[in-house]
Amino acid sequence: MSSVYTFEMLPDEMILKMCSYLRGSDVLYAFLNLRARLNLTITSYCRYVNLMAVPHHQFDYVVSQILPLIGSSIRSFVINGNWEIIISQKAFTLLFTSFISNIFPQIEKLTLKCFTGKRLFTFLDNLTDLSQLVELDIRFLREDVDDTLMRKIFASNNRRLRLVSFDNDSIALNLSEDNHKNISFPNIQELKINLESIQILLCLFTLLPNLHRLHVCVEKSSHEEDGRKLFADLSPLIYLTDFQLRFADFVGMFDTIVNILNQVPFLETLTFDLWTNDERLVNGSNLIPILPSSLKQFHFLIRYYCSESNCRIDHLLKSWPNHMRVSYSLNEDDSCLLFYTMPCCLRSTIISAKISKHVVSSWTYMEYVEDLQISDVTCLNDIIPIVKHLHRLHTLAVDAKNQPENATSLTQSIRLRLPWLKKLEVHGICELFHLLQAAPNLEYLIVEHNSIKHLLEDEPTCSLLQKQIVRLEIFRVEAIDTEQLKRIALVFNKIIEFILNIENSRTFIDSIITAALLLWKNKELFSLHIGGLMSAEATENLQEWMVHHSDLTREHSFAIAYQKNWFSLWW
């Protein structure tokens, strides 16, 4: 007689393997408190909780019923700023008020996504008396940023924070000159941030005297005639050992970097990601002498715009010491030389597609890149030679310059493998079949309206899009008709989130909303966001309008909002 097995008889390893195919919220929703033994098995899911991309009823249940039970076990949690205006009152009280210290007493890391500067400024008032909270990870910070926000972040949670980071999608921050005088935050030891100008970087040198690790992107330089004035009276950062600088400037950059390095005398790891026309930055004879003597690792990617018709490439390469391996690539028009160390340990960078025809085998040393933006793309042939070496890519943004009639197919056969690529953003129009084929785990696609129309004309591409994409965002939509929407719904019939941004349209989006709900009816979609104008009839009582124009009822668990010309529905 054959044996009968039940789910709870399975070994922990098998249960956890099955859980790995689910979202963390699914595991908590389905298994918590079924059995004491299961609670032990899923302990890790109670420590690192992420409730992004889940249906509204599941979110509301986990926040209201499960978080109060496991809150003392949670070590890491993700909060979406967009939740604030559409979640239930009970969920709001737990996540967006001072009660957060009661629900997460042992939390160590808090990730904040999609906050505006104004909303974040207010939210920080709730971060008090969290004795274990030392890390704040801020992603996709948007508009309304006050010049005092940076200072408030450093001081939050009673100055207990040690690690603060902003992702590449967050806007650059500013700091008024009066905000840093006679004030310091010795608690901050690690910082990753985007800054508006070099002056703000120097303000940080005063604000954060105990920095050990600093990764910074600076958008513009100083307007001071004498850059040395900016560095006067600065105390050196004697604890800083890991420094990474992304800086796009052309005038006086070498002198600025000399002054910066004088303030960090004990560096052990230094990484540059630069744009310059100053030959001294690609000449080892000039650059090596200004490096700190304590330096153990030096990596760089420098785009050197050569003013001479015949750039002395061999001379520049020979200027570097033998123990440093330096290589280069040329732009197609020879206007730019790309110098880089081997290896080059950048995790994120921006590359012009003009180098694609001159990429050499040494590009395998760029394999650490996880977040890449490629500009000046004319066709897929520009992309493939670059990304074929970057097997660790997680996100890829492509800025294509061509028009639909000029979008050409791949003309060369290259074996491509992008197993970690999760997010693809395309500005302009470009063939994507080979990228999609190489990225089996791609799930998030952001494209222009013209691009999606072009992609939907190719059946092999549509087949891959249908299998892979679960989150779709279409922007720069001037107008969209029912037939186009039907085609999108047919191909993207497995998406859970759909974002459609209709720009400069005088037509109300009411009918688009109802059409989308009808087209994705009984599908997996549970998050819909459409940018555009709604009628006064709809916005007067949005919830009632939704009930009358969809299959949703008052008994359903859903949240709805319309703010700043954005309609959001979560069910």
Side-chain angles (χ1 to χ4, degrees), residues 445-459:
L445 179 65
I446 304 175
V447 288
E448 288 186 19
H449 186 214
N450 284 338
S451 180
I452 201 72
K453 289 190 293 185
H454 180 73
L455 294 174
L456 293 179
E457 294 173 356
D458 183 68
E459 288 301 328

Side-chain angles (χ1 to χ4, degrees), residues 244-488:
Q244 179 172 310
L245 174 65
R246 176 185 288 178
F247 190 18
D249 190 21
F250 290 88
V251 180
M253 179 184 282
F254 184 80
D255 295 331
T256 299
I257 286 179
V258 170
N259 289 324
I260 290 175
L261 293 180
N262 285 337
Q263 303 300 318
V264 287
F266 303 113
L267 279 184
E268 296 180 1
T269 302
L270 175 62
T271 307
F272 285 149
D273 189 6
L274 308 176
W275 288 254
T276 186
N277 58 6
D278 194 330
E279 184 184 305
R280 291 174 293 177
L281 283 171
V282 290
N283 190 319
S285 301
N286 296 113
L287 194 57
I288 293 296
I290 69 171
L291 299 178
S293 59
S294 56
L295 204 61
K296 297 178 180 177
Q297 295 185 55
F298 179 38
H299 309 283
F300 62 74
L301 178 65
I302 302 177
R303 303 143 192 88
Y304 171 49
Y305 292 83
C306 184
S307 58
E308 302 176 8
S309 57
N310 296 314
C311 191
R312 302 174 299 167
I313 299 176
D314 290 340
H315 170 74
L316 293 175
L317 291 176
K318 291 177 181 178
S319 70
W320 295 94
N322 292 332
H323 69 272
M324 285 193 65
R325 301 181 63 193
V326 176
S327 188
Y328 75 97
S329 295
L330 278 170
N331 267 5
E332 186 177 16
D333 56 9
D334 293 342
S335 63
C336 178
L337 285 168
L338 194 69
F339 282 90
Y340 50 91
T341 52
M342 302 185 295
C344 183
C345 296
L346 286 170
R347 304 290 180 183
S348 171
T349 194
I350 302 170
I351 296 293
S352 169
K354 291 180 180 179
I355 69 163
S356 61
K357 293 182 180 179
H358 300 276
V359 168
V360 293
S361 59
S362 60
W363 261 68
T364 56
Y365 292 98
M366 298 288 292
E367 63 178 351
Y368 295 95
V369 174
E370 297 175 355
D371 180 4
L372 178 65
Q373 179 181 335
I374 306 178
S375 61
D376 304 312
V377 172
T378 59
C379 64
L380 190 61
N381 283 342
D382 293 342
I383 302 173
I384 301 298
I386 297 174
V387 301
K388 74 171 184 176
H389 301 289
L390 309 181
H391 303 308
R392 302 187 190 188
L393 271 185
H394 286 69
T395 64
L396 173 62
V398 174
D399 186 5
K401 301 297 183 183
N402 53 307
Q403 297 299 316
E405 60 271 16
N406 297 325
T408 57
S409 301
L410 187 69
T411 59
Q412 52 184 306
S413 177
I414 297 178
R415 186 175 181 182
L416 190 61
R417 187 168 57 88
L418 300 170
W420 298 102
L421 188 64
K422 292 284 188 179
K423 177 181 174 182
L424 176 61
E425 180 173 349
V426 181
H427 294 250
I429 299 173
C430 185
E431 299 286 349
L432 296 182
F433 177 78
H434 292 275
L435 283 177
L436 296 171
Q437 193 177 44
N441 296 306
L442 182 71
E443 57 182 34
Y444 187 10
L445 179 65
I446 304 175
V447 288
E448 288 186 19
H449 186 214
N450 284 338
S451 180
I452 201 72
K453 289 190 293 185
H454 180 73
L455 294 174
L456 293 179
E457 294 173 356
D458 183 68
E459 288 301 328
T461 299
C462 289
S463 178
L464 291 175
L465 291 171
Q466 188 173 47
K467 294 175 183 177
Q468 296 171 222
I469 304 302
V470 296
R471 298 177 64 197
L472 174 65
E473 179 176 345
I474 305 175
F475 62 99
R476 291 183 185 167
V477 182
E478 293 184 0
I480 189 167
D481 56 38
T482 304
E483 290 304 313
Q484 287 180 333
L485 206 56
K486 283 182 179 179
R487 179 60 176 160
I488 292 170

Side-chain angles (χ1 to χ4, degrees), residues 69-93:
L69 298 178
I70 67 171
S72 59
S73 300
I74 294 176
R75 299 295 183 266
S76 175
F77 191 74
V78 181
I79 295 180
N80 189 327
N82 292 328
W83 291 343
E84 186 175 356
I85 60 174
I86 58 176
I87 59 179
S88 67
Q89 183 59 44
K90 184 173 182 179
F92 175 85
T93 301

Side-chain angles (χ1 to χ4, degrees), residues 4 6 16 31 34 104 139 182 278 394 436 522 564-565:
V4 177
T6 62
L16 289 173
F31 299 139
L34 288 183
F104 302 125
R139 304 180 186 178
N182 302 318
D278 194 330
H394 286 69
L436 296 171
N522 300 324
K564 297 182 178 180
N565 290 344

